[in-house]
Amino acid sequence: MDAPEREADNDAAHEEPSLEGEYEPEAVESRWQRRWVDEEVYAYESDPERDPNTVYAIDTPPPTVSGSLHMGHLYGHTLQDFAARFQRMADGEVLFPFGYDDNGIASERLTEQELDIRHQDYERREFQELCREVCQEYEAEFTEKMQGLGCSIDWNNTYKTIEPRVQRVSQLSFIDLYEQGREYRKKAPAIWCPDCETAISQVEMEDDERGSHFNDIAFEVASDGTDRDEFVISTTRPELIPACVSVFVHPDDDENQDLVGETARIPIFGHEVPIIADDRVDMEKGSGIVMCCTFGDQKDIEWYQAHDLPLRVAIDESATMTDLAGDYEGLSTEEAREAIVEDLEDEGYLRDRWEISHTVQVHERCETPVEFRVSKQWYVEILDHKEEYLEAGREMDWYPEKMFTRYKHWIEGLEWDWLISRQRDSGIPFPVWYCADCDTEIVAEKAELPVDPLSDEPPVDSCPECGHDEFVPEDDVFDTWATSSLTPLINAGWDWDADAEEFRMEKPELYPFDLRPQGHDIISFWLFHTVVKCYEHTGEVPFDATMINGHVLDENREKMSKSKGNIVAPDEVLADYPVDAVRFWAASAAVGDDFPYQEKDLRAGEKLLRKLWNASKLTDTLAPRDPEEPEELEPIDRWLLAELDDAIAELTAHFEEYEFAKARDRLRTFFWNTFCDDYLEIAKGREDNPSTQYALRTAHRTFLELWAPFLPHATEEIWQAVYTDDGADLEDSSIHTRDWPTPQGYEADLEAGETAMEVISALRRYKSEHQLPLNADLESVSVYGPIEGFEDAIQNVMHVRELTVLEDEPEVTTEVASIDLDYSTLGPKFGSKVGEIDSGIENGEYEIVEDGAEPRSADSSSSAERSSADSHAAKPRDDGDEPREGRVLRVAGEELGEDLFEVEYERTYSGEGEMIETESAVVILED
RNA sequence: GGGUUGGUGGUCUAGUCUGGUUAUGACACCUCCUUGACAUGGAGGAGGCCGGCAGUUCAAAUCUGCCCCAACCCA
């Protein structure tokens, strides 16, 4: 990665593409990465008139710049790039943009850590400025690393989620939804992080296992409707007792039913609360009697709302005890917990205390346990449109399909509207002021956006409701997802057209986007929120398709995590292996599957690069670079091109379905086995043949094109070295801007080709078994089988001095070795009789009747040898390839027709030389 | 606790939706071969009965049920 080393590698030989020597990925890859960016090979130029069907637009979720680049980024972006590169070649223009997510808590935290400051100590603008400075450094680093992955991103089309253009889009989004009546401001309990001092949404919480204590605390009964003087409740949070507003008992709890309707006195604090029955009480837990405090958990909120309980706030926004806590005021919740427990014990209220470990809900950013606080917050109404969002999900194509269920279940399980206000210093402000007198909401003018109410004036001089002329600016900012969910609109240039008085897109041809790629962990919030926002703004589903990538696991299939220390850093991998090899590995898993990082897969990629390089060198020595197409191609060459046609068709289908792993395997097998191992060996003996020269070059160009999405650097290097003129404009000459290959309609005798390859394979096996070199001469070979047109090829590549094609099957004696039944038609026809038929054949209790000739029983057929030459000369094998009329198998009292069985013969060759059988040919070797 | 997805030779994996009887390929392993690119190559071989149990069926890796294991999502 460091420049001096790269310089050293970069001697003159590496400056220009060439096929000299060995493939040197370090020099080649960095050179092309530089040139692709410098010469804007992947730049997208918008044309609003362009047919949306010829534009392939990708909406990539912008990564958080504060995080480091991990294997997940590398994998995800590589998959996106496969799609981008294929589509660019196959179907016109591609937009592959890039965004930096630097808006929100993550970058605030980063700034605080990096500069060792607290946001509270700064003015909002000042702190925001610092955030941007810090993020800029990280963004530059991110850009460099992303470019090192060789993704075909258009670096002219980037955005930052905090930049003014995006702030404008985000505030427009707020105002549009507000005007549609889909947003409201409400005072209600919300999830609160006391460390970040902000409300957060459900998705920002996670579970964490923490140690704690269970405390059994005695409450006195203050009324006299029961015999009891006291009862015991168990709690992990004794510091909440000053906030206790009621006590609950389950209606089925017979033991404690006497308490219902009575009044309890809270120890130490002395206030009295009602005891109420409610079936949400967990009878199994502790004494079955539970206190309700405002608020300890979500159940407290439910009770508070259901029973219209009073609000007692004992903990403030920074987790400090309030005046309600009396003597404990000013203590942190932790300190108060210990102090209260001590005092309870002193006063005899603490009946028991023991250690436990339980899961608590914490804020994912800072791991602080969350509180629940009543506050005034902004919400986006979503619960009333669940059905529409489900339908939007159904309209998208999901790759893989099964991921739709996650989306579906998430929506079905939604219980809260989307809380979008955050009490943070940095972020995109709400464009809202409130009348100081009547609290009427004043929203900014669209033309003025972006605004910051803290420094900008509201658009009115006096309140339209009450005429008051003082206003209070909203100082909350948007939840980062409120902005991150707008990326399709940001990329398409969505904006308010003041003249037309409507929303317009600068690049309407992009929307809806063709593809939305992402990890399966963010389906439930990022993808979902994006669908919500875009659907509400445009009435359209923002994506035609969504591709979900799996997670990269470690070598032992375990999730990579900091605590396990099993993280593999992309930097380390790229220091050891070519990017193209890493990409080859990334193409090995089916989209949506988690898969392990395995070094040996990277070695496989390296091997392929070497093979491609060497095969290119050999091709270059065998044929001129641009041979004429001959009038008539010879069978072997036509065969290769016909097979190539098939491969192109299959690969294209795989790419269109995002089946990169299948495309990769199909291409590798065809390239390595058929082209390199078979055809190139054959071509060595035919280099002066114009037909072979043409086929070689056609195949080679096509292979480079087919490999280009997977191996962009190596294919570009070879392409530029061999097939382009010096000094050509890279935008035109790059292999990545070429058209994807299409089948050319070559027709060939595929059966003959296949048979010829079988014969070659048989001869190789013969040599291998006799420990002969593969280029050892074979004196005389006779072949009986359909190999017309391929005789020379076989003779050349296997070094056969004399090759004879037999008119008639060689003299062999045959006997029935076995009978294969066609179960797929036999089963439905005979059902349970199949067992009997099987055992009949196994026991030899059957006979074959043919051509009205004498029935041949199993007994006679196994003993009576027959010479095939006298009766079946037409074909080397007669076992079903070419059924004769009237041949019937009698077994278990049934007659099976010709289509139901095949007879396998054991053959013994009695002539000169050695016989080798293949699927559809017989080969005889004589030394 | 609920849900989703997956469990195929030593490792990774195809096949499972559309049941059919020698289960795909790669890596590793063993044997052999220096041939006009590549020995970082080539040819060949051995190795699995498809997580477990039960069922449906003439027939199950493939369908059904239960169980075990793993990951993820939600409590």
Side-chain angles (χ1 to χ4, degrees):
Chain A
M1 280 291 138
D2 35 326
E5 209 175 280
R6 189 178 284 169
E7 288 300 313
D9 274 352
N10 252 354
D11 54 63
H14 299 134
E15 285 305 330
E16 288 300 319
S18 92
L19 275 183
E20 294 296 312
E22 303 212 327
Y23 181 55
E24 298 191 27
E26 314 88 77
V28 168
E29 291 183 344
S30 57
R31 170 154 45 79
W32 287 117
Q33 283 163 13
R34 235 183 358 254
R35 288 196 58 189
W36 290 331
V37 174
D38 290 350
E39 301 180 40
E40 303 186 345
V41 173
Y42 308 122
Y44 172 78
E45 270 160 46
S46 174
D47 175 359
E49 300 300 312
R50 186 176 290 138
D51 177 359
N53 291 325
T54 68
V55 184
Y56 187 83
I58 304 174
D59 176 50
T60 58
T64 309
V65 292
S66 53
S68 53
L69 187 84
H70 54 72
M71 289 305 275
H73 289 122
L74 184 159
Y75 173 54
H77 280 90
T78 302
L79 284 190
Q80 295 162 27
D81 194 48
F82 293 154
R85 288 185 184 276
F86 164 71
Q87 294 286 347
R88 188 178 294 111
M89 293 177 81
D91 198 19
E93 300 293 318
V94 166
L95 170 71
F96 190 178
F98 191 76
Y100 307 87
D101 193 10
D102 45 14
N103 163 34
I105 295 174
S107 42
E108 281 182 52
R109 288 256 153 201
L110 177 77
T111 305
E112 289 180 329
Q113 282 165 14
E114 195 83 340
L115 304 178
D116 194 24
I117 56 173
R118 278 162 46 88
H119 67 83
Q120 292 91 335
D121 301 338
Y122 290 80
E123 292 293 313
R124 180 147 133 189
R125 295 239 154 167
E126 253 183 306
F127 185 71
Q128 287 201 358
E129 204 44 52
L130 292 171
C131 280
R132 278 173 219 171
E133 277 170 28
V134 168
C135 285
Q136 226 158 27
E137 294 166 30
Y138 280 81
E139 277 153 15
E141 195 184 320
F142 224 92
T143 304
E144 195 187 305
K145 288 187 173 171
M146 285 303 303
Q147 291 180 347
L149 302 183
C151 290
S152 58
I153 288 167
D154 176 1
W155 291 101
N156 298 339
N157 263 304
T158 62
Y159 59 91
K160 298 172 187 178
T161 52
I162 196 74
E163 71 181 57
R165 174 172 65 111
V166 174
Q167 294 212 15
R168 178 176 164 83
V169 171
S170 189
Q171 291 185 336
L172 278 172
S173 164
F174 173 82
I175 293 176
D176 186 33
L177 292 183
Y178 181 76
E179 289 176 349
Q180 288 187 43
R182 302 205 54 74
E183 279 165 338
Y184 59 89
R185 186 165 173 247
K186 187 180 165 191
K187 190 169 183 178
I191 307 161
W192 186 272
C193 174
D195 188 35
C196 302
E197 293 189 28
T198 180
I200 59 171
S201 70
Q202 210 177 329
V203 293
E204 293 166 82
M205 283 196 300
E206 59 187 21
D207 290 350
D208 198 15
E209 193 77 17
R210 299 278 169 97
S212 180
H213 289 89
F214 242 120
N215 304 282
D216 278 359
I217 301 171
F219 281 39
E220 289 169 4
V221 179
S223 51
D224 49 14
T226 176
D227 301 341
R228 285 202 244 182
D229 294 335
E230 61 165 53
F231 58 89
V232 170
I233 61 121
S234 299
T235 181
T236 54
R237 302 200 57 190
E239 75 275 20
L240 275 170
I241 61 172
C244 180
V245 291
S246 71
V247 167
F248 283 100
V249 169
H250 198 282
D252 299 339
D253 185 353
D254 298 334
E255 262 179 60
N256 295 310
Q257 217 48 231
D258 57 316
L259 292 172
V260 175
E262 302 302 318
T263 306
R265 183 176 300 120
I266 308 303
I268 300 179
F269 297 91
H271 63 281
E272 295 181 6
V273 301
I275 303 174
I276 307 170
D278 191 291
D279 58 11
R280 281 165 278 206
V281 174
D282 181 359
M283 288 167 65
E284 306 298 312
K285 214 165 167 183
S287 59
I289 308 171
V290 60
M291 65 171 179
C292 169
C293 309
T294 52
F295 297 98
D297 59 23
Q298 284 172 58
K299 209 179 266 177
D300 290 343
I301 297 170
E302 282 179 44
W303 281 326
Y304 162 77
Q305 287 166 340
H307 298 275
D308 202 19
L309 296 166
L311 181 67
R312 292 179 67 90
V313 180
I315 298 171
D316 75 1
E317 61 279 357
S318 62
T320 304
M321 304 308 289
T322 65
D323 57 349
L324 201 66
D327 295 345
Y328 308 98
E329 181 180 356
L331 297 181
S332 73
T333 46
E334 303 277 322
E335 293 161 351
R337 180 178 305 170
E338 295 312 314
I340 289 175
V341 167
E342 257 176 53
D343 292 347
L344 285 169
E345 182 149 35
D346 289 348
E347 298 186 26
Y349 290 111
L350 187 70
R351 296 299 153 82
D352 203 358
R353 179 175 163 91
W354 67 100
E355 274 186 32
I356 58 154
S357 171
H358 67 160
T359 51
V360 295
Q361 293 182 307
V362 301
H363 185 202
E364 61 180 0
R365 301 280 182 205
C366 61
E367 301 189 335
T368 306
V370 300
E371 298 287 351
F372 298 88
R373 286 181 58 77
V374 167
S375 53
K376 218 164 187 185
Q377 304 286 349
W378 281 95
Y379 295 85
V380 175
E381 192 166 11
I382 53 175
L383 295 178
D384 60 329
H385 278 184
K386 279 163 91 168
E387 209 33 66
E388 279 152 279
Y389 304 146
L390 266 177
E391 186 51 35
R394 279 190 208 103
E395 279 178 36
M396 290 190 273
D397 292 327
W398 291 75
Y399 298 96
E401 226 171 302
K402 63 188 177 192
M403 289 297 177
F404 171 66
T405 29
R406 297 211 182 182
Y407 178 87
K408 183 165 168 259
H409 287 162
W410 171 256
I411 292 179
E412 286 169 351
L414 279 175
E415 285 172 10
W416 306 84
D417 279 333
W418 178 11
L419 193 165
I420 53 164
S421 45
R422 295 292 183 276
Q423 293 69 52
R424 298 295 298 178
D425 293 294
S426 183
I428 300 178
F430 277 70
V432 178
W433 297 258
Y434 308 102
C435 171
D437 195 40
C438 71
D439 207 31
T440 292
E441 294 148 2
I442 311 290
V443 172
E445 290 290 334
K446 297 194 190 77
E448 305 298 316
L449 303 179
V451 300
D452 183 352
L454 291 186
S455 47
D456 296 329
E457 291 299 317
V460 293
D461 294 328
S462 59
C463 174
E465 292 297 320
C466 71
H468 190 80
D469 61 359
E470 278 178 64
F471 299 94
V472 179
E474 171 63 86
D475 62 359
D476 285 0
V477 296
F478 293 139
D479 169 21
T480 123
W481 301 110
T483 304
S484 307
S485 55
L486 294 167
T487 53
L489 301 178
I490 294 166
N491 281 317
W494 184 73
D495 204 349
W496 175 255
D497 184 332
D499 297 335
E501 297 209 328
E502 62 179 17
F503 286 100
R504 286 272 175 84
M505 288 188 196
E506 193 192 329
K507 303 170 186 172
E509 80 279 8
L510 296 175
Y511 192 90
F513 279 62
D514 294 81
L515 181 69
R516 162 66 174 230
Q518 77 238 290
H520 54 54
D521 49 340
I522 59 173
I523 292 173
S524 54
F525 49 108
W526 204 334
L527 176 65
F528 169 69
H529 288 147
T530 307
V531 171
V532 168
K533 283 265 199 159
C534 295
Y535 176 80
E536 298 298 351
H537 290 309
T538 69
E540 279 185 281
V541 183
F543 312 115
D544 291 342
T546 179
M547 173 174 75
I548 313 294
N549 63 266
H551 283 149
V552 178
L553 310 173
D554 77 354
E555 293 95 324
N556 303 315
R557 283 201 144 275
E558 285 182 45
K559 192 180 170 178
M560 290 186 187
S561 73
K562 275 174 247 161
S563 53
K564 277 190 211 152
N566 60 348
I567 297 214
V568 178
D571 284 353
E572 296 165 22
V573 177
L574 292 171
D576 293 341
Y577 294 95
V579 182
D580 280 344
V582 177
R583 295 171 61 97
F584 187 73
W585 158 77
S588 67
V591 168
D593 285 359
D594 291 348
F595 74 119
Y597 166 79
Q598 298 220 115
E599 204 162 349
K600 65 186 185 191
D601 285 341
L602 297 173
R603 276 184 235 116
E606 270 190 310
K607 280 173 62 175
L608 175 69
L609 295 176
R610 210 173 288 125
K611 194 74 177 174
L612 182 60
W613 183 259
N614 286 318
S616 299
K617 283 169 76 169
L618 178 60
T619 302
D620 218 37
T621 66
L622 291 176
R625 292 188 172 180
D626 201 6
E628 293 278 307
E629 179 164 16
E631 292 277 306
E632 185 82 12
L633 284 168
E634 293 188 20
I636 181 73
D637 305 313
R638 209 167 60 234
W639 170 80
L640 177 78
L641 295 180
E643 293 284 354
L644 184 61
D645 272 0
D646 282 359
I648 292 169
E650 281 182 43
L651 279 167
T652 306
H654 287 324
F655 268 108
E656 279 168 352
E657 290 297 308
Y658 302 96
E659 295 173 327
F660 305 123
K662 287 182 181 175
R664 178 193 102 137
D665 291 344
R666 175 72 171 91
L667 182 54
R668 199 201 95 100
T669 302
F670 183 58
F671 168 71
W672 201 304
N673 299 336
T674 306
F675 183 68
C676 293
D677 294 343
D678 292 340
Y679 187 76
L680 275 181
E681 289 303 323
I682 292 167
K684 282 177 183 171
R686 298 168 54 85
E687 62 186 309
D688 296 329
N689 189 313
S691 170
T692 294
Q693 290 178 347
Y694 181 78
L696 261 179
R697 280 302 177 179
T698 303
H700 183 245
R701 284 167 190 268
T702 307
F703 275 123
L704 291 178
E705 290 162 348
L706 294 172
W707 277 123
F710 290 124
L711 316 171
H713 307 84
T715 52
E716 183 81 291
E717 177 74 4
I718 298 168
W719 185 264
Q720 298 285 339
V722 182
Y723 297 117
T724 62
D725 299 326
D726 291 345
D729 189 355
L730 190 60
E731 230 182 304
D732 302 319
S733 71
S734 170
I735 190 167
H736 302 296
T737 55
R738 292 185 60 78
D739 285 341
W740 183 252
T742 50
Q744 298 299 301
Y746 286 104
E747 286 184 19
D749 187 344
L750 294 181
E751 190 202 3
E754 198 180 316
T755 308
M757 294 309 137
E758 277 175 24
V759 171
I760 289 170
S761 179
L763 295 175
R764 280 178 186 153
R765 199 179 317 123
Y766 173 85
K767 289 184 180 180
S768 180
E769 277 165 8
H770 291 76
Q771 304 189 0
L772 294 167
L774 282 180
N775 63 346
D777 282 348
L778 292 173
E779 205 53 44
S780 165
V781 172
S782 307
V783 177
Y784 176 66
I787 55 162
E788 197 181 347
F790 294 81
E791 300 89 342
D792 290 350
I794 296 171
Q795 193 166 4
N796 273 323
V797 72
M798 284 292 106
H799 299 264
V800 176
R801 296 210 167 179
E802 199 183 326
L803 182 81
T804 316
V805 177
L806 300 175
E807 292 288 313
D808 298 321
E809 189 176 12
E811 291 254 340
V812 289
T813 52
T814 59
E815 56 188 279
V816 175
S818 64
I819 292 180
D820 289 343
L821 300 173
D822 176 12
Y823 289 94
S824 60
T825 40
L826 196 72
K829 199 165 172 180
F830 291 96
S832 57
K833 200 94 207 253
V834 171
E836 279 181 57
I837 294 171
D838 272 339
S839 59
I841 288 170
E842 202 177 320
N843 300 330
E845 294 157 0
Y846 66 89
E847 57 187 11
I848 298 167
V849 188
E850 39 197 319
D851 288 326
E854 284 298 294
R856 286 172 50 221
S857 72
D859 281 346
S860 64
S861 74
S862 58
S863 57
E865 295 179 343
R866 70 195 167 95
S867 161
S868 67
D870 51 26
S871 57
H872 311 290
K875 277 268 164 188
R877 304 290 289 249
D878 52 15
D879 41 14
D881 286 347
E882 199 85 0
R884 280 166 309 285
E885 287 288 313
R887 195 174 181 204
V888 163
L889 174 66
R890 286 187 187 144
V891 59
E894 300 285 350
E895 284 202 351
L896 308 191
E898 189 68 46
D899 56 327
L900 292 179
F901 67 97
E902 292 176 7
V903 182
E904 291 290 333
Y905 294 104
E906 177 102 37
R907 290 149 182 272
T908 318
Y909 178 63
S910 43
E912 293 284 302
E914 183 172 332
M915 183 187 75
I916 307 170
E917 286 186 277
T918 76
E919 191 73 15
S920 37
V922 178
V923 180
I924 292 165
L925 283 119
E926 288 178 73
D927 289 323

